[in-house]
Amino acid sequence: MTQQLMNTKKAAVAFKSAKANGQTKDCYIKAGDCYLENKNLYHAGKCYEAAAFVCRDTGDLDDAVTYLDKAVELYREQGTTDSAAQAYEKAGEILAEEKPEKAIEFYVKAYEAMGLEDRPRQCCDLLNKAIKLMIKHRKLEEAAQAIKKSQEYYTELDQLGQVYRLTVALVLVQLSLGDLIAAEGAYGDCLSCPGFVDSDECTIAKVLLRAYDDGDQENANKVLNGIYIRHMENVYAHLARSIRVPGSVKKKEVSNVTENNDGEEATNGKEVGKNEEEEEGEDEYEGGIC
C-alpha cells in the first residue's frame, strides 16, 4: 500500500507539471482514498485538499468545495482544528468572487474553529475577510454582529486602536441600515474604552451622529467624505458615500420653497412700489413741466 501511494503521488506531481488537470485530480483523490483506508485521516485530508485546488484551477468550484468539505471533516475528526480552519479559509478565498455567500459561511466557520484553539489574532483576520464580503454584498446586519465580535477579540488582545476604528465602522454600518439608536449605542459602548474620548475616532463618530440626528446632510458629508473615512478600507469608504440623512432632502425642499416665496414677495413688493411711484409721477406732472 505504501509503494502504491508513493507511485500515485509521484504520478500526481508529474501530471501537474504536464498541466493534465483531470489526471492530476484523479491521482490526488486516489491517494486520499488510500490514506483513508489506512486510517491516516490527516494525509487523506491533504490529498483531498490538493484535489480541490486542481478543481479551483479548472473553474469547477462545486467540486472544489466538495473536496475541501471532505478534508475539513477529516481534520476535525483527527483533532487538527487549525488545519480545518485553514481549509475553511482557503475555501472562502476560492469562492469570494463567484459565490460570496458561501465564502462568508466558510470564513465564519474558520474563525469559529480558530476560536476553539484560542487564537484571537487569527480570528480577527478571518472576521475581517468575512466583514468585507458582508458589506460589499449588503449583508449589513451580519456585518454589524461580526464587527462587534471582532471588537471583543481586539479588546482581548489589548489593541484599543483597532477597537476605536471598528467603532467608526460599526457606526457607518448602523447608519447605512437607518438605525440611529444602534449607531449611538455602538458609540456609547466605546466611551468606557480607555483613551477613546480623546481619539479622532470619537470626534468623527460624535459629529456624524449629531449631523444625522439633526437631518444635516451637508455636515454629515463633511465627515463621510473626509480624509479619515477615505483612508479606511475601500468597503467602508464606499459604504460611507451611500449614507443618506433622513429628512435632509425635505429640509432642502422646504428651504427652497421658502426662498421662492420670499423672492416672489420681494418681487411683488418691488412691482407695487414701482406702480406707486409711477402713479405719483403721473400726478405730479399731470399738467406738464410748465
Side-chain angles (χ1 to χ4, degrees):
M1 183 68 74
T2 303
Q3 187 59 46
Q4 182 183 354
L5 270 171
M6 292 297 294
N7 291 338
T8 303
K9 291 175 78 174
K10 284 181 181 178
V13 173
F15 282 129
K16 187 176 181 180
S17 298
K19 297 183 178 180
N21 292 317
Q23 291 93 326
T24 304
K25 182 185 77 171
D26 291 342
C27 286
Y28 280 129
I29 293 170
K30 186 176 179 181
D33 292 343
C34 288
Y35 276 122
L36 199 54
E37 287 177 16
N38 285 327
K39 309 298 182 185
N40 190 331
L41 305 185
Y42 177 79
H43 285 97
K46 283 295 180 184
C47 287
Y48 293 133
E49 203 174 317
F53 293 137
V54 176
C55 293
R56 174 202 62 188
D57 294 340
T58 58
D60 190 352
L61 299 184
D62 289 332
D63 274 358
V65 171
T66 297
Y67 290 119
L68 279 169
D69 267 333
K70 196 167 186 178
V72 167
E73 281 182 33
L74 296 173
Y75 294 146
R76 301 194 82 158
E77 190 176 342
Q78 179 76 20
T80 50
T81 308
D82 56 340
S83 294
Q86 289 167 14
Y88 277 137
E89 183 179 6
K90 290 171 185 174
E93 290 168 354
I94 288 172
L95 298 172
E97 292 298 324
E98 298 294 328
K99 299 187 176 184
E101 290 189 10
K102 192 69 176 176
I104 291 168
E105 181 185 326
F106 278 124
Y107 281 135
V108 170
K109 286 181 178 179
Y111 111 76
E112 289 173 346
M114 281 298 184
L116 295 174
E117 294 290 302
D118 194 24
R119 296 187 181 181
R121 191 177 303 281
Q122 285 82 356
C123 287
C124 289
D125 292 340
L126 292 164
L127 277 170
N128 186 47
K129 291 181 179 182
I131 290 165
K132 286 194 288 186
L133 272 183
M134 290 171 183
I135 293 174
K136 183 178 180 181
H137 295 280
R138 303 296 295 184
K139 295 183 174 298
L140 300 182
E141 292 90 350
E142 294 176 40
Q145 294 305 314
I147 290 171
K148 291 176 185 177
K149 194 66 184 176
S150 190
Q151 283 180 307
E152 291 176 15
Y153 284 122
Y154 278 120
T155 301
E156 184 181 337
L157 291 166
D158 199 30
Q159 293 188 10
L160 299 183
Q162 289 288 357
V163 177
Y164 304 164
R165 285 186 278 277
L166 285 173
T167 298
V168 175
L170 186 53
V171 167
L172 292 175
V173 169
Q174 299 292 15
L175 292 182
S176 294
L177 288 166
D179 194 340
L180 177 60
I181 293 174
E184 289 175 334
Y187 169 74
D189 288 342
C190 202
L191 287 174
S192 59
C193 193
F196 178 66
V197 293
D198 299 319
S199 68
D200 292 339
E201 289 82 3
C202 180
T203 302
I204 287 164
K206 182 164 60 175
V207 172
L208 178 57
L209 288 169
R210 184 184 299 135
Y212 194 94
D213 193 28
D214 291 343
D216 187 347
Q217 185 75 55
E218 184 178 351
N219 278 328
N221 284 344
K222 288 178 182 178
V223 178
L224 296 171
N225 298 322
I227 191 168
Y228 181 91
I229 289 178
R230 288 206 312 270
H231 286 172
M232 293 178 76
E233 293 196 71
N234 286 339
V235 288
Y236 295 117
H238 183 74
L239 185 67
R241 290 195 294 271
S242 71
I243 293 175
R244 295 291 175 266
V245 176
S248 59
V249 174
K250 290 181 181 179
K251 289 180 74 175
K252 187 175 180 181
E253 288 173 353
V254 169
S255 176
N256 287 338
V257 169
T258 304
E259 287 173 4
N260 289 337
N261 288 340
D262 290 345
E264 288 172 5
E265 289 175 6
T267 301
N268 291 337
K270 186 176 180 181
E271 289 175 355
V272 170
K274 184 179 179 181
N275 290 336
E276 289 175 353
E277 288 175 0
E278 288 174 356
E279 288 173 2
E280 290 174 3
E282 289 173 359
D283 292 338
E284 184 177 359
Y285 301 109
E286 190 171 353
I289 296 176
C290 298

